[in-house]
Structures are given as C-alpha cells and as structure tokens.
Amino acid sequence: MSPDRADLSAIPPQTQDWPGTTAALDRRPTTASTWTGRERLIGRRALITGATPASAGRSP
C-alpha cells in the first residue's frame, strides 16, 4: 500500500436498503410523460452534454 493512502481495512462493511417507492411522496416526481416544456427551443437544436460549469475542463 502506498504511504499516501489510508488503511481502510479496519472500517466495518456497510449495508444500504433498497430504494423505496414514490407512492408516499406528497408531491409526485415529474416524469417525461407529465412534463411540459417552455417551448424555448422550437425550431432549434440543442446539444446536451451532461457537463456542468464546475466540472468543465477537469479530468477524473
């Protein structure tokens, strides 16, 4: 192990419950079938990259 890495072997394993359902939510999540756009891009094209300004130009 390299000296700049911490030894994580003493940390006990963790578990995580499966996600629940959205039935109990007060405000139902918006899905593509219920969402209405603002029609700002009618007649235009958009390239959606998924990058945010905070991560632009950074490499992993």
Side-chain angles (χ1 to χ4, degrees):
M1 182 183 315
S2 66
D4 59 338
R5 294 225 170 216
D7 181 19
L8 302 177
S9 62
I11 298 174
Q14 299 178 5
T15 61
Q16 184 173 355
D17 294 333
W18 285 95
T21 65
T22 58
L25 294 177
D26 290 335
R27 186 172 166 194
R28 305 282 299 169
T30 302
T31 61
S33 63
T34 61
W35 183 76
T36 303
R38 295 184 181 179
E39 299 181 356
R40 291 182 173 179
L41 299 176
I42 291 178
R44 297 182 180 192
R45 295 180 182 170
L47 174 64
I48 302 171
T49 64
T52 61
S55 65
R58 289 190 198 167
S59 60

